[in-house]
Amino acid sequence: MKPMALHCGIEIGDVALASCSDAQLQAIKQAIYERGVAVFRDQDFTPRDHIAFAKRWDGIDVNAYFPLDPAFPEIALVKKAPDQRTNIGGAWHTDHSYDPVPAMGSILVARELPPTGGDTLFAHMGAAYDALSDDLKARIEGLEAFHTADHVYSQGGVYAGTDQAGELRGQDVTTGAVHPVVIRHPQTGRKLLYVNAAFTLHFVGQSREESLPLLMELTSAALAADNQCRLEWEAGTVAIWDNRTTWHNAMNDYHGHAREMHRITLTGETLAA
Ligand code: OGA
Ligand code: MN
């Protein structure tokens, strides 16, 4: 196992995900809970392997918005064609924080990559929380926040006016959930900052306008370089991340080339302070 950066990410070698033992899977889970994202290279991982491996976790959450693989509806397609300008996930976020029981994580498999670019950045929310000033920690103590995806995926939302609109589903879906601003990781107990600029609209008891300055302050503190790592995808790369421990951001720097990833989202649990 090799750390990818100071706090975030780990590369795990010498394991074939498709046929790993229960003991190996347990060690992989623990590494992901702690480091936020694990990267596996040179994997022989068919769509059937992807689904079978995901079923060894606590279940599969099918994303309400992304196009699904027609042959494997558990698999969401995260793709950008050579003539598209907008990508999916191209801003800091964590998946499904708008659900009352947010997804634990995602298993993303590289299927088609651009010749350069298309990296994914991750940021560690345990390291982010630890590095907050005592003043900021005191200001967010006991706060809760409201999360939704309606402004992102609905008719008038962020993607509606873009060249991804044609493929996205769920324009009529409505979402909303309240979570503590600081959660305890369900498995490790570590304190994690759990707001994100994409889906967290406001603190409970405050308007959007009242909330924005603190949200922005937390966002910029959380994105300190020390908290981040960068994943350069290769053919055969599989990444598994923990949505509670990390945020991620898909770089959109390969216009004119195709990129296609297969994602399975893993079921999580209720989050508590
Ligand atoms: C996602 C996502 C990142 C990427 O699948 O949730 O944000 O690099 N993808 O494609
Ligand atoms: Mn995402």
Side-chain angles (χ1 to χ4, degrees):
M1 297 205 188
K2 179 169 167 279
M4 294 167 69
L6 188 59
H7 297 298
C8 192
I10 189 153
E11 285 229 16
I12 301 183
D14 295 324
V15 61
L17 283 181
S19 58
C20 71
S21 68
D22 288 344
Q24 283 176 315
L25 180 58
Q26 206 40 54
I28 289 167
K29 287 183 179 179
Q30 193 61 31
I32 293 167
Y33 299 148
E34 289 172 9
R35 299 288 305 182
V37 54
V39 175
F40 305 84
R41 303 292 187 183
D42 303 315
Q43 297 294 308
D44 184 2
F45 206 59
T46 65
R48 283 182 209 285
D49 293 332
H50 194 177
I51 294 166
F53 179 75
K55 286 186 172 163
R56 298 175 68 185
W57 296 65
D58 291 332
I60 294 174
D61 282 5
V62 176
N63 182 277
Y65 307 107
F66 297 173
L68 304 177
D69 187 317
F72 301 99
E74 296 96 333
I75 296 179
L77 304 177
V78 176
K79 59 179 183 173
K80 180 171 179 258
D83 63 350
Q84 283 178 308
R85 300 295 289 183
T86 305
N87 73 335
I88 296 288
W92 285 104
H93 67 281
T94 193
D95 299 332
H96 295 208
S97 73
Y98 46 79
D99 286 334
V101 182
M104 174 268 143
S106 295
I107 307 171
L108 196 67
V109 181
R111 294 298 180 201
E112 186 175 3
L113 293 171
T116 62
D119 296 351
T120 309
L121 310 183
F122 292 86
H124 196 293
M125 291 303 114
Y129 177 79
D130 290 350
L132 294 178
S133 66
D134 289 343
D135 168 59
L136 261 181
K137 283 182 182 155
R139 282 162 64 200
I140 61 178
E141 175 74 31
L143 276 187
E144 295 183 313
F146 176 75
H147 302 239
T148 177
D150 295 359
H151 59 292
V152 177
Y153 296 109
S154 69
Q155 305 275 344
V158 171
Y159 282 111
T162 74
D163 56 12
Q164 286 282 352
E167 282 130 293
L168 287 168
R169 304 176 296 121
Q171 280 87 346
D172 299 329
V173 172
T174 56
T175 55
V178 167
H179 304 292
V181 169
V182 181
I183 59 165
R184 291 263 181 194
H185 190 282
Q187 282 76 36
T188 68
R190 185 167 182 183
K191 279 188 165 186
L192 307 169
L193 181 64
Y194 196 73
V195 291
N196 67 92
F199 301 123
T200 311
L201 285 190
H202 63 84
F203 300 107
V204 171
Q206 299 180 25
S207 68
R208 170 77 172 157
E209 290 65 33
E210 288 165 338
S211 304
L212 259 182
L214 180 55
L215 270 177
M216 287 167 62
E217 203 177 333
L218 291 169
T219 301
S220 82
L223 292 176
D226 276 4
N227 300 337
Q228 295 191 36
C229 69
R230 182 176 197 111
L231 167 53
E232 292 182 40
W233 297 89
E234 296 164 3
T237 300
V238 177
I240 309 174
W241 65 78
D242 181 325
N243 279 320
R244 296 81 52 95
T245 310
T246 53
W247 297 348
H248 57 278
N249 182 358
M251 293 290 96
N252 188 10
D253 55 359
Y254 52 93
H255 292 321
H257 299 281
R259 181 177 185 270
E260 180 167 335
M261 316 296 272
H262 278 184
R263 187 178 113 185
I264 293 183
T265 316
L266 301 168
T267 303
E269 57 227 277
T270 306
L271 301 175

